[in-house]
Amino acid sequence: MPKIVFEDKHYQSEVGESVLDCLIRHNVSVNYSCKSGVCQSCMMVAVEGEPTPGSQLGIRETLKRQDHFLICACVPETDMLVAVPDSIGSTFEARVISLDKLAEDVVRLRLVRPENYDYLPGQFINLTNSEGVSRSYSLASVPELDDFLELQIRRVPNGRVSGWVADTVEVGQVVTISQPSGQCSYMPGREDQPLLLVGTGTGLAPLMGIVRDALRQGHHGPIHLYHGSSKAEGLYLVAELTDLEEANDAFYYQPCVSRGELTETSQKKLRSGRAADLALQDFANMDGWRVYLCGREDMVKSLQKKVFLAGASMQDIFADPFVFSERVSSEKVDSEKVDSAKVIQKVDAT
Amino acid sequence: MSDSLFDRIGGETAVNAAVDIFYRKVLADDRISGYFDDVDMEKQVAKQKGFLTMAFGGPNNYTGTDMRKGHAHLVERGLDDSHFDAVVENLGNTLKELGVADDLVGEVAAIAETTRNDVLGK
């Protein structure tokens, strides 16, 4: 009978026994609830060995591709090495290719993509500074289109990592990054589905990766990107996104400014108002839509609820709330870091 | 009628079809939506699926103690019979919307009813 390896220990399974039952029988403490493949509270990652197809029913496509499965619904056919999602932490070294200022407080950092470094556009990675402090940043690049990794980093007041990037990091320097995590990505299938992407600030980074990946994979339903900033100066890559819009019939780009009046000299494309409000105003019925939300936590959580109430299915809503460490006291920064290891939760900044 | 309620109602497929409709009704219901603020929606959906699976007579290992613990903080905030009734009402309306036969809806409501005292900490 197959063996299950979990947290460096081996457990012998019995005939017809699920991975969960095997672990329970060996008194291993694991999360579970319904034991019937429904509630998903027992989800793990198959690091080695194949999850059975039945153990991946109802799981998001993005997670399936990352070998997530439900251990209660998997009677293993081969030996398996399983792990709690995102508990597997390997690090990589990456050389800095370029550092560019995109907006007043936003820097674009491009890194050499390490060998065998697989990721999905929209995922995030941890970047570690010279003192060993890590913060999470989303990837704006697409592995099939870009040979570099791109991060867009907003400088946070007293930010320990963002300040380090802005003031100290130089081209040619080698920095430490984690493997990618997160499930806010484009998945092929249902190419006709309308997509709504709403991002504030550097929430644009993952959304740019997702948009370019969707177009690359032949998505032909309409793709609407709303990028919000409080001031017009906070918007960035406006020209690049406008070019992308002109080159793709299905892609619509809407930069939004939430505070202050737009001046005569403002770009014609700009609209006044919050990105989230404008998007909801434009699309009252979200039934059948796929939605990606990235940026400030309060915006993401509130919009997640609103698009769900407007008809989008929870399975089709991908939310990536950024938690900024500046808002927490210094002793809480470490627990915020731990949070960043969770699949959905994300610490952006400092 | 040898099949279980869970099989007759459509099993996991029915749970997946019901969860969005049910959760949307609950969030839009002013009587109870306040109890669902400040929750992680993804985790909440997983819990709703667990609840629906149980209410549909499906396999589950919920215990009365779990139910008590899981709702104690809501009872402190004033959760009472009227809120429980509202949830059961939304559940029934969800099933009707999905075209589930009345007798099955009744069976589901009866199962949900068995959790009342534990949920309300009575």
Side-chain angles (χ1 to χ4, degrees), chain B residues 2-39:
Chain B
S2 59
D3 281 354
S4 70
L5 170 65
F6 193 58
D7 290 332
R8 280 180 284 143
I9 212 163
E12 195 196 319
T13 314
V15 171
N16 288 330
V19 70
D20 271 348
I21 301 174
F22 174 63
Y23 189 22
R24 205 171 279 131
K25 283 188 192 299
V26 164
L27 284 180
D29 187 337
D30 290 340
R31 293 174 295 177
I32 47 179
S33 62
Y35 292 102
F36 292 88
D37 283 346
D38 306 322
V39 296

Side-chain angles (χ1 to χ4, degrees), chain A residues 56-98:
Chain A
Q56 292 187 304
L57 291 175
I59 297 186
R60 275 184 191 279
E61 283 301 320
T62 42
L63 294 177
K64 263 188 217 173
R65 247 186 68 174
Q66 298 170 56
D67 299 316
H68 285 51
F69 72 114
L70 304 176
I71 60 171
C72 72
C74 181
V75 177
E77 286 157 6
T78 57
D79 290 353
M80 293 186 87
L81 170 57
V82 301
V84 173
D86 284 304
S87 62
I88 341 146
S90 35
T91 59
F92 297 80
E93 308 272 276
R95 197 168 49 79
V96 175
I97 301 172
S98 63

Side-chain angles (χ1 to χ4, degrees), chain A residues 290-320:
Chain A
R290 201 188 315 177
V291 183
Y292 296 89
L293 309 171
C294 304
R296 291 176 56 100
E297 188 183 23
D298 50 352
M299 182 285 287
V300 166
K301 296 218 156 161
S302 125
L303 192 53
Q304 181 185 34
K305 186 167 165 180
K306 286 176 183 163
V307 296
F308 174 66
L309 289 174
S313 166
M314 272 305 286
Q315 281 282 339
D316 284 331
I317 304 173
F318 298 84
D320 189 0

Side-chain angles (χ1 to χ4, degrees), chain A residues 111-165:
Chain A
L111 305 170
V112 174
R113 180 180 169 197
E115 244 175 80
N116 302 318
Y117 192 85
D118 293 323
Y119 67 97
L120 297 170
Q123 286 194 298
F124 60 90
I125 62 175
N126 289 333
L127 175 66
T128 307
N129 74 4
S130 50
E131 297 169 325
V133 178
S134 296
R135 294 290 181 264
S136 302
Y137 298 99
S138 293
L139 290 159
S141 45
V142 178
E144 289 81 2
L145 301 176
D146 309 313
D147 54 8
F148 49 80
L149 302 176
E150 175 172 324
L151 307 176
Q152 296 167 1
I153 299 176
R154 180 166 87 86
R155 179 167 197 159
V156 171
N158 304 315
R160 295 176 71 185
V161 177
S162 64
W164 168 74
V165 169

Side-chain angles (χ1 to χ4, degrees), chain B residues 60-110:
Chain B
N60 69 87
N61 58 2
Y62 277 98
T63 65
T65 318
D66 291 339
M67 287 283 180
R68 278 172 193 271
K69 270 196 209 153
H71 295 89
H73 65 293
L74 299 178
V75 173
E76 266 176 40
R77 281 173 53 195
L79 191 80
D80 63 23
D81 283 299
S82 70
H83 305 114
F84 189 90
D85 292 341
V87 169
V88 174
E89 185 186 312
N90 284 307
L91 176 60
N93 288 337
T94 300
L95 295 173
K96 280 175 201 156
E97 199 172 312
L98 287 167
V100 174
D102 284 350
D103 56 331
L104 295 185
V105 176
E107 283 188 57
V108 170

Side-chain angles (χ1 to χ4, degrees), chain A residues 2-7 9-13 22-23 26 28:
Chain A
K3 272 202 252 339
I4 309 297
V5 183
F6 177 63
E7 292 180 341
K9 293 202 178 71
H10 292 243
Y11 303 101
Q12 185 65 53
S13 69
C22 173
L23 293 176
H26 289 95
V28 182

